[in-house]
């Protein structure tokens, strides 16, 4: 069993006696819906053909036939595909009418129902913005309620984002089973959630669904068929020709309507006991439902009529409802609600041995690709915006450019689905996501290359050609773009085919460079370039083969092989120091492992060793719980996955790299795991501080043996007391003390790490920064463990039937950056370092047409001919979005409503979407945690004169002056943080952003 009920109640807000219910019957809000996964087992195309298109076609038809009928629609990807390619003109007119009448309601409104554990909040915002923009542009509507019923746990980031998007209430379902039971018992399933400790006003009323979740209870005692699912179960690949589906519920007839009524009413009364008011939300639907809305409503209509005709006798009235109907009635009761603070509902377990913590790592390759695609989109958006403003000077077609960006916007939005980036989909659906991401990334790379060529188009005879995938011996050009609004000093790594090379910049000057054997290919070389790039700026390099004696040739790094060591070999204290101005890593020459790290700022040496271990998990359901795509079910502690390690040190002028290769047995020829650790040789202060104060690590993991879950365990002498800190979606940190669960303690103490985690003692903090999501835990004092890869197979019928066994034979290459130092130093560096990892410079390669010594005439253009003024923000402000969304709607809501349906909308290329984000918490740093004030006219001067600025809601559909959210009565209590910034007059250029605040604007520039 899990924690005792008393402990769970202590985790809840202070409880008070339940509200006294008003006399009279329970009021039941029957909410028809269909949960439509954008992927999971079947591809989007397969689902659209088998059932999804029919949901919208038949629901629209049936709502038009009955004025009392209602329906909520959630995910936009299926609806947009239906609207654009299937819906008739008549159906489109019906949708407009139903929305006006409030009988069809879009809730949530994103492209997908995104996962809450392993998605980055940038991508959550993107997919909401994509869906909300379509709904507003097409119908003039803006969703006001969430319906987050299937994500596997609930993040505290979500209430903040949904409040900023203008939602009045938030609905979730999947939280830990024993916590839900305790909350039901205490009538605590509804509360006001303040998701951020730094923001006062971004709170939202939250409803947690009871144990029946979002599906209608299917058991009916008077029939051997399931109940309330009269259209049955969807059939793939095509709907049956005769319209007869499996498992269709027994039709409602005069003979059984009372039995149906008694079943529904009994369920309603059971649920009512778990809530404080007489209003009961009764979801009617489940996965892939309402593909035949006619038979659904034809049976439910007489059932609801029968119950209402006996309301006094049954103590219940029932009505079809949207989510707005339910929450509006609840709000009108004027109840005082408990407040929940910034803590989340992660991890999620559905039973004691069903901890849904495996998906934090499942399909690590897809997780990495999704984040790289997001970063590339971020860079492409700002590069295109800078191209268009102050005035496009080249031949690039803006309509084509928007098409390239929209393709990747759609793909990145799609993969945020709660059965996509989670790695819980079937192999063919994984392939669909990968295909969509790869195509979108290729499109945006083409766009970025076209912008570079347009801006740097050479005069006749200059050796500049279109970017290519590879390069011959003539040499390369490299354009490096910094997508951050800060000056970044970093090392850029390129793979080249020649060992000796000279590198010059756009002015023909030699550039510091280092060449070493490649970790990616045995016959290739890694070229390291030290570069400093201003905010949203470019650097251009020419890379040529060089002779051994040529002046200015890049330095060859020296490789020192230190041999292979067996695990368990006793140490004799032989330590090899490897370091830079910030860290000295002490390598144990007897074990082949790290021994310790000395950090210069705090002048402390911390014992630190890293190794790979594996959890051996069960794959036979007859022998106990199994791990699968979703769940992590270790039967014992992790064991070392290696018997020998080989050590090498690669030392050069720009960096020193430690290479460790781990072998499953002492005589193996191929390593199973690897760690490549890099320290940069730059000064500890000034522009290179962030680069100096991190140890960059890249790993190689796989292919794994079957039913193995591979982890990297870092063991230190920090007295952390098994307390871990891990992030919610890259937005904020959560304290994760080790919980003493009686059963399944290992799995239930795993948490998601989307971007950051750390352990600490009173003197030092060890920070891990990640470029993809992982599961993370602290299994012992001073330890942090990151799950890097999983390969699983089991004989559970459900997993086999849907091909969800996760037999992942891939090799993955995740990256972590390590920061070590006093709290004050790491707090100052963590947020900015995380953003530098997330948004590394984008490199665009081209092929040089000629060979020879560099000269002034070989650069495409002089810097003054192409370089725009940098976009620079203060160090505690992040340029989260700079894009041209291309929406056609007017910023004036009344004008937009008048224009609906009048002519073909045209993309507005003058409107720029700007989001500014303050990444620091209140009190995190004495300087960087202060509010940041900027002058937008000065910051954006490089894009042209600012003509007008409008502050908008998070997804852009509301003018903040017009946005009014419901206020819910709450119990008094201490409030921390800052209130949200008041909307400012449109004419003022000064913007203040408080800690953790996200502010969204439309910016209009004066046409040049």
């Amino acid at each position: 069993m899990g924690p005792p009920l008393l402990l769970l109640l202590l985790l809840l807000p202070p409880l008070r006696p339940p509200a006294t219910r008003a006399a009279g019957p329970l009021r039941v809000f029957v909410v028809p819906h269909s949960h439509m996964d954008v992927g999971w087992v079947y591809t989007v195309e397969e689902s659209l053909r088998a059932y999804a298109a029919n949901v919208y076609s038949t629901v629209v038809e049936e709502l038009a036939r009955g004025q009392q009928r209602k329906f909520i629609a959630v995910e936009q990807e299926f609806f947009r595909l239906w609207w654009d390619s299937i819906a008739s003109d008549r159906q489109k007119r019906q949708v407009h009418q139903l929305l006006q009448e409030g009988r069809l309601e879009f809730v949530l409104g994103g492209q997908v129902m995104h996962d809450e554990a392993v998605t980055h909040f940038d991508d959550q915002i993107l997919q909401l913005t994509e869906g909300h923009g379509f709904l507003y542009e097409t119908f003039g509507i803006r969703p006001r309620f969430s319906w987050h019923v299937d994500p596997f746990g609930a993040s505290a980031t979500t209430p903040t984002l949904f409040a900023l998007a203008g939602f009045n209430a938030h609905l979730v379902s999947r939280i830990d089973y024993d916590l839900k039971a305790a909350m039901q018992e205490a009538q605590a399933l509804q509360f006001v959630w303040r998701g951020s400790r730094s923001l006062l006003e971004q709170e939202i009323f939250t409803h947690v669904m009871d144990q029946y979740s979002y599906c209608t209870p299917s058991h009916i005692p008077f029939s051997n068929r399931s109940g309330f699912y009269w259209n049955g179960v969807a059939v793939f690949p095509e709907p049956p020709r005769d319209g007869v589906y499996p498992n269709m519920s027994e039709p409602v007839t005069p003979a059984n309507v009372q039995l149906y009524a008694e079943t529904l009413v009994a369920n309603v009364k059971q649920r009512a006991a778990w809530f404080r008011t007489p209003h009961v939300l009764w979801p009617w639907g489940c996965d892939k439902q309402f593909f035949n809305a006619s038979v659904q409503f034809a049976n439910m209509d007489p059932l609801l009529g029968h119950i209402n005709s006996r309301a006094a006798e049954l103590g219940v009235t029932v009505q079809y409802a949207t989510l707005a109907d339910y929450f509006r009635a609840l709000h009108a009761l004027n109840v005082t609600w408990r407040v929940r603070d910034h803590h989340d509902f992660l991890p999620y377990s559905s039973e004691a041995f069903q901890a849904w913590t495996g998906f934090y790592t499942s399909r690590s390759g897809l997780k990495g690709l999704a984040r790289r695609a997001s970063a590339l989109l971020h860079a492409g958006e700002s590069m295109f915006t800078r191209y268009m403003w102050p005035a496009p000077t080249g031949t690039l077609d803006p309509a084509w450019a928007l098409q390239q960006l929209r393709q990747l916007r759609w793909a990145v939005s799609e993969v945020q689905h709660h059965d996509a980036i989670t790695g819980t989909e079937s192999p063919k659906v994984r392939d669909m996501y990968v295909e969509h991401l790869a195509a979108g990334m290729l499109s945006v790379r083409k766009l970025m290359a076209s912008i570079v060529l347009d801006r740097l188009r050479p005069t006749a005879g200059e050796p500049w050609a279109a970017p290519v995938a590879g390069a011959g011996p003539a040499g390369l050009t490299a354009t490096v773009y910094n997508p951050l609004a800060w000056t970044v000093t970093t090392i850029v790594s390129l793979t080249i085919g020649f060992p000796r090379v000279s590198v010059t910049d756009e002015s023909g000057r030699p550039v510091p460079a280092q060449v070493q054997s490649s970790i990616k290919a045995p016959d290739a070389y890694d070229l390291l370039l030290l570069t400093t790039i201003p905010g949203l700026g470019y650097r251009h390099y020419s890379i040529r083969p060089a002779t051994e004696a040529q002046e200015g040739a890049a330095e060859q790094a020296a490789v020192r092989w230190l041999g292979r060591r067996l695990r368990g070999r006793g140490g004799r204290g032989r330590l090899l120091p490897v370091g830079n101005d910030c860290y000295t890593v002490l390598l144990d020459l007897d074990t082949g492992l790290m021994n310790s790290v000395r950090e210069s700022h705090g002048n402390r040496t911390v014992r630190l060793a890293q190794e790979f271990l594996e959890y051996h998990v069960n794959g036979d359901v007859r022998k106990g719980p199994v791990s699968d795509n979703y769940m992590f079910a270790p039967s014992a502690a992790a064991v070392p996955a290696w018997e020998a390690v080989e050590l090498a040190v690669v030392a050069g002028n720009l960096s020193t790299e430690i290479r460790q290769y781990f072998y499953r047995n002492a005589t193996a020829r191929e390593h199973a795991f690897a760690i490549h650790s890099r320290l940069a040789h730059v000064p500890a202060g000034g522009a290179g501080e962030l680069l100096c104060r991190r140890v960059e690590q890249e790993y190689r993991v796989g292919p794994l043996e079957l039913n193995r879950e591979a982890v990297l365990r870092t063991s230190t002498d920090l007295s952390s007391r098994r307390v871990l800190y891990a992030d919610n979606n890259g937005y904020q940190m959560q304290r994760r003390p080790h919980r003493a669960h009686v059963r399944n303690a290992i799995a239930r103490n795993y948490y998601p790490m989307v971007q950051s985690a750390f352990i600490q003692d009173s003197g030092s903090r060890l920070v891990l920064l990640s470029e993809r999501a992982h599961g993370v835990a602290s299994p012992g004092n001073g330890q942090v463990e990151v799950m890097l890869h999983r390969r699983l197979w089991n004989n559970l019928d459900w997993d086999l039937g849907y091909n969800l066994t996760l037999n992942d034979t891939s090799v993955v290459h995740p990256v972590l950056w390590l920061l070590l130092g006093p709290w004050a130093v790491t707090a100052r560096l963590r947020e900015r370092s995380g953003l530098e990892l997330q948004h590394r410079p984008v490199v665009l390669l081209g092929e040089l047409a000629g060979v020879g010594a560099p000269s002034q005439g070989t650069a495409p253009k002089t810097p003054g001919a192409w370089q725009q003024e940098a976009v620079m923000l203060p160090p505690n402000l992040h340029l989260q979005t700079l894009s041209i969304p291309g929406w056609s709607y007017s910023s004036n809501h009344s004008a937009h409503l008048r224009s609906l349906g009048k002519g073909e909308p045209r993309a507005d290329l003058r409107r720029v979407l700007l989001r500014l984000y303050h990444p620091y918490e209140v009190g995190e740093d004495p300087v960087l945690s202060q509010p940041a004030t900027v002058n937008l006219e000065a910051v954006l001067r490089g894009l042209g004169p600012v003509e007008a600025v409008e502050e908008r809601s998070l997804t852009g559909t509301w003018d903040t002056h017009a946005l009014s959210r419901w206020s819910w009565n709450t119990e008094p209590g201490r409030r921390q943080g800052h209130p949200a910034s008041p909307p400012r007059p449109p004419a003022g250029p000064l913007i203040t952003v408080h800690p953790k605040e996200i502010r969204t604007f439309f910016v209009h520039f004066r046409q040049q």
Side-chain angles (χ1 to χ4, degrees):
M1 61 181 289
L5 179 62
L6 177 59
L7 175 58
L8 292 168
L9 292 177
L10 290 174
L11 296 175
L12 299 175
L15 302 181
R16 289 170 46 170
T20 303
R21 292 208 176 100
L26 296 172
R27 187 179 177 190
V28 182
F29 295 79
V30 176
V31 178
H33 74 97
S34 180
H35 184 66
M36 302 162 70
D37 286 303
V38 181
W40 188 37
V41 176
Y42 302 101
T43 67
V44 168
E45 183 180 350
E46 287 174 325
S47 296
L48 195 67
R49 185 170 64 248
Y51 82 95
N54 284 337
V55 171
Y56 297 117
S57 295
T58 64
V59 163
V60 167
E61 187 68 27
E62 291 306 310
L63 294 189
R65 289 179 176 173
Q67 285 297 312
Q68 81 281 18
R69 295 171 175 175
K70 299 187 178 184
F71 191 82
I72 62 168
V74 188
E75 300 89 351
Q76 288 308 298
E77 180 158 334
F78 282 128
F79 181 82
R80 289 176 73 171
L81 291 170
W82 175 79
W83 181 264
D84 290 340
S85 59
I86 297 172
S88 66
D89 289 342
R90 175 175 175 270
Q91 288 171 325
K92 290 182 177 182
R93 289 192 298 271
Q94 288 175 321
V95 169
H96 279 280
Q97 182 65 32
L98 292 168
L99 289 170
Q100 288 180 11
E101 295 172 359
R103 296 196 295 115
L104 174 64
E105 181 186 26
F106 287 104
V107 296
L108 184 61
Q111 280 289 91
V112 298
M113 185 184 297
H114 65 253
D115 170 70
E116 296 194 38
V118 299
T119 48
H120 195 279
F121 78 107
D122 285 354
D123 302 322
Q124 297 178 6
I125 294 170
L126 170 71
Q127 75 88 19
L128 284 172
T129 302
E130 279 293 286
H132 287 193
F134 164 76
L135 288 174
Y136 189 60
E137 189 168 63
T138 309
F139 305 111
I141 62 167
R142 299 166 287 203
R144 302 306 303 268
F145 306 97
S146 94
W147 179 265
H148 245 221
V149 296
D150 203 28
F152 320 131
S155 165
T157 304
T158 309
T160 300
L161 298 187
F162 285 179
L164 289 168
F167 288 5
N168 287 317
H170 175 39
L171 186 146
V172 302
S173 181
R174 292 186 185 268
I175 67 170
D176 207 74
Y177 74 102
D178 45 8
L179 179 58
K180 179 176 281 192
M183 293 174 74
Q184 286 182 171
E185 185 71 20
Q187 292 186 335
L189 292 170
Q190 294 173 319
F191 48 86
V192 171
W193 196 355
R194 293 180 185 146
S196 169
R197 73 188 75 186
S198 294
L199 298 177
L200 282 178
E201 296 180 3
Q202 304 311 332
E203 62 185 25
I204 194 166
F205 181 82
T206 303
H207 173 108
V208 180
M209 285 186 155
D210 57 50
Q211 68 189 39
Y212 291 104
S213 192
Y214 62 88
C215 291
T216 312
S218 59
H219 174 71
I220 49 177
F222 56 89
S223 173
N224 59 4
R225 301 191 217 172
S226 64
F228 308 104
Y229 297 100
W230 292 284
N231 60 191
V233 177
V235 173
F236 287 78
E238 302 283 349
R241 293 181 180 276
D242 60 4
V244 178
Y245 287 81
N247 203 32
M248 296 176 75
S249 299
E250 186 175 321
V252 173
T253 66
N256 65 16
V257 66
Q258 179 62 20
L259 297 174
Y260 260 117
E262 290 170 357
T263 302
L264 192 155
V265 168
N267 181 255
V268 163
K269 290 183 176 179
Q270 180 188 17
R271 293 172 125 158
W274 298 328
F275 292 90
R276 297 175 58 199
T277 78
H279 295 340
V280 179
L281 174 65
W282 201 79
W284 176 34
C286 197
D287 293 39
K288 307 178 186 69
Q289 282 296 302
F290 280 87
F291 50 83
N292 185 346
S294 175
V295 69
Q296 289 281 85
F297 283 113
N299 283 276
M300 186 60 88
D301 284 355
L303 175 56
L304 299 191
H306 178 84
I307 293 172
N308 285 332
S309 70
R310 292 165 172 75
E313 170 193 340
L314 296 173
V316 167
T317 65
V318 290
Q319 65 185 83
Y320 290 125
T322 62
L323 211 52
D325 294 330
Y326 171 72
F327 281 124
R328 190 178 296 112
L330 198 64
H331 185 255
L333 293 177
N334 212 27
V335 174
T336 296
W337 300 99
R338 306 176 182 99
V339 174
R340 181 179 179 86
D341 64 10
H342 63 274
H343 291 95
D344 61 9
F345 291 98
L346 291 164
Y348 163 61
S349 294
S350 51
E351 294 179 16
F353 287 99
Q354 292 184 356
W356 296 50
T357 55
F359 79 88
Y360 300 159
T361 304
S362 294
R363 300 203 192 284
S364 177
L366 177 62
K367 287 176 165 65
L369 179 64
R371 287 279 285 279
R372 290 194 299 276
S374 172
L376 181 67
L377 177 62
H378 176 267
E381 297 276 17
S382 63
M383 184 185 280
F384 175 59
T385 304
R386 297 218 74 186
Y387 174 84
M388 293 294 293
W389 293 99
T393 56
T395 59
L396 185 68
D397 178 7
W400 173 84
L402 271 180
Q403 185 180 10
Q404 310 314 300
L405 291 167
R406 283 170 169 165
Q407 184 176 1
L408 189 53
R409 290 173 191 168
W410 186 294
V412 173
S413 296
E414 177 184 73
V415 81
Q416 307 312 315
H417 175 64
H418 59 271
D419 274 307
I421 197 171
T422 52
T424 53
E425 67 281 343
S426 66
K428 68 178 177 181
V429 175
R430 182 265 330 269
D431 293 344
M432 177 196 74
Y433 295 135
V434 169
E435 179 183 339
H436 292 174
L437 288 168
M441 292 173 77
L442 178 61
S443 294
V444 170
R445 281 198 168 272
K446 287 179 179 178
L447 168 61
M448 297 175 81
S450 299
I451 290 172
V452 169
L453 287 174
D454 245 17
R455 285 296 170 100
L456 304 175
R457 191 170 298 280
T459 55
E462 286 185 329
W464 178 261
V468 294
L476 298 168
T477 61
T479 297
V480 186
Y481 176 67
N482 171 23
L484 292 170
W486 309 314
T487 296
V488 168
T489 296
T490 191
I491 291 176
V492 173
S493 180
L494 308 175
T495 301
I496 59 174
F498 34 91
R500 299 194 180 279
V501 63
S502 68
V503 183
T504 53
D505 65 13
E506 55 275 322
S507 299
R509 293 186 295 263
V511 174
Q514 173 179 320
V515 176
Q516 60 193 38
S517 59
S518 177
I519 62 173
K520 297 180 174 64
D523 299 325
Y525 302 89
D526 290 337
L527 172 63
L528 309 184
L529 304 178
L530 180 63
T531 184
T532 297
I533 317 174
L536 303 194
Y538 301 85
R539 294 300 305 272
H540 303 276
Y541 300 103
S542 297
I543 304 163
R544 295 175 175 79
T547 63
E548 187 169 352
Q550 184 173 322
E551 184 179 353
E555 180 175 315
Q556 298 278 324
V559 182
R560 181 182 176 187
W561 287 95
L562 298 168
R564 189 179 294 200
R565 303 289 185 264
L566 297 179
R567 184 171 62 84
R569 178 175 175 174
R572 289 176 289 171
R574 296 189 303 149
L575 301 179
L576 174 67
V578 174
N580 63 4
D581 284 3
C582 297
Y583 298 114
T584 300
V585 176
L586 297 172
L587 301 174
D588 190 323
L589 296 179
D590 299 311
T591 65
L593 303 178
M594 283 188 186
N595 171 273
S596 54
V597 177
R598 182 185 304 123
E599 54 89 8
S600 62
H601 199 284
N603 195 27
R604 178 181 179 182
T605 298
V606 174
R607 293 295 298 265
L608 190 153
Q610 294 179 304
E611 63 173 333
F612 293 98
L613 298 94
E614 288 179 330
Y615 289 97
H616 295 200
V617 295
N618 172 44
D620 188 346
V621 294
R622 296 167 297 186
K623 296 180 180 179
V626 297
S627 282
D628 64 9
N629 290 31
Y630 301 88
M631 296 171 202
F632 175 36
S635 54
V639 296
W642 59 283
E643 288 296 329
V645 60
E646 193 169 26
L647 180 63
V649 176
V650 182
N653 60 320
L654 294 187
S655 77
T656 297
E657 196 170 277
I658 303 163
R659 298 182 177 182
Q660 296 168 284
Y661 302 97
F662 294 79
Y663 298 85
R664 288 197 177 275
N665 60 71
T667 59
R669 301 185 65 181
E670 299 291 332
H671 59 274
F673 308 93
I675 306 176
H676 300 110
S677 306
R678 178 191 294 169
L679 295 106
H681 299 309
V682 292
E689 182 184 29
L690 293 182
L691 178 58
C692 181
R693 294 198 181 280
R694 64 186 183 234
V695 179
E696 300 181 3
Q697 293 193 324
E698 180 176 335
Y699 312 95
R700 181 196 183 278
V701 184
L704 301 181
E705 297 177 351
L706 200 58
N707 286 328
R708 299 291 187 266
E709 313 206 30
V711 302
L712 174 77
R713 182 174 293 172
T714 302
S715 300
T716 75
D717 60 358
L718 297 178
S719 182
S720 63
R721 303 180 185 274
R722 301 177 83 178
V723 175
L724 173 73
Y725 295 81
D727 68 316
N728 271 163
N729 315 108
Y731 179 71
Q732 60 190 1
M733 303 301 291
Q734 294 279 347
R735 185 176 184 270
R736 308 294 196 185
H738 189 272
R739 305 284 185 193
H741 296 288
V742 176
R743 293 180 292 181
N744 209 17
I746 295 174
R748 296 184 75 181
N749 277 289
Y750 252 79
Y751 297 91
M753 174 181 69
V754 175
Q755 185 167 296
S756 179
F758 62 81
I759 58 173
Q760 63 188 19
D761 63 12
S762 60
S764 297
R765 176 181 290 169
L766 174 66
V767 177
L768 277 61
L769 300 172
S770 177
E771 40 73 77
R772 71 187 70 182
H774 299 280
V776 64
S778 182
N781 186 38
Q783 292 183 331
V784 59
E785 175 177 293
V786 181
M787 186 175 288
L788 299 178
H789 203 11
R790 315 176 76 216
R791 182 185 176 193
L792 306 168
W793 185 92
N794 67 72
N795 57 6
L796 185 67
D797 289 342
W798 189 82
D799 282 338
L800 292 174
Y802 288 124
N803 198 7
L804 297 175
T805 59
L806 198 65
N807 190 4
D808 186 348
T809 59
S810 66
V811 177
V812 296
H813 300 272
V815 171
L816 294 177
W817 287 359
L818 278 57
L819 316 179
L820 178 65
W823 288 18
V825 174
T826 55
R828 176 168 53 85
L829 300 178
R830 182 180 62 84
E831 295 287 1
R832 285 169 58 85
S833 297
L835 286 164
E836 283 205 9
L837 175 57
Q838 181 183 0
H839 297 295
R840 286 169 282 184
V842 176
V843 180
L844 298 166
L845 295 178
E847 189 176 76
L848 276 174
V851 185
S855 68
Q856 291 298 111
T858 58
K861 285 183 183 176
T862 59
W866 50 262
Q867 196 72 276
Q868 290 173 273
E869 184 174 348
V871 176
M872 301 290 289
L873 290 173
N876 57 351
L877 209 53
H878 170 49
L879 184 66
Q880 189 175 28
T881 305
L882 183 69
S883 74
I884 297 175
W887 297 316
S888 63
Y889 61 76
S890 169
S891 299
N892 181 289
H893 182 61
S894 298
H896 174 53
L897 293 182
R898 289 193 298 270
S899 69
L900 286 175
K902 296 179 181 178
E904 190 68 23
R906 296 183 60 184
D908 182 355
L909 297 175
R910 298 187 64 246
R911 173 169 38 203
V912 171
L913 175 65
L914 170 71
R915 284 195 190 93
L916 299 177
Y917 164 56
H918 192 313
Y920 288 87
E921 293 278 6
V922 168
E924 188 173 7
D925 182 87
V927 176
L928 297 175
S929 290
Q930 297 302 312
T933 299
V934 294
N935 185 321
L936 287 185
E937 291 180 353
V939 167
L940 301 175
R941 186 167 49 228
L943 281 75
V946 173
E947 188 172 74
V949 178
E950 311 166 47
E951 180 150 18
R952 308 293 292 188
S953 61
L954 182 69
T955 59
T957 56
W958 284 93
D959 181 333
T960 54
H961 295 85
L963 174 59
S964 175
R965 296 176 58 238
W966 292 351
S967 176
W968 299 78
N969 294 332
T970 58
E971 296 175 346
R974 188 166 62 94
R975 294 166 71 93
Q976 295 179 329
H978 290 293
S981 300
R984 63 172 187 80
L990 291 180
I991 300 296
T992 297
V993 187
H994 290 281
K996 284 300 164 191
E997 194 173 20
I998 304 168
R999 297 187 70 179
T1000 303
F1001 305 93
F1002 288 164
V1003 182
H1004 301 268
F1005 295 96
R1006 191 173 305 125
Q1007 199 78 39
Q1008 299 294 292

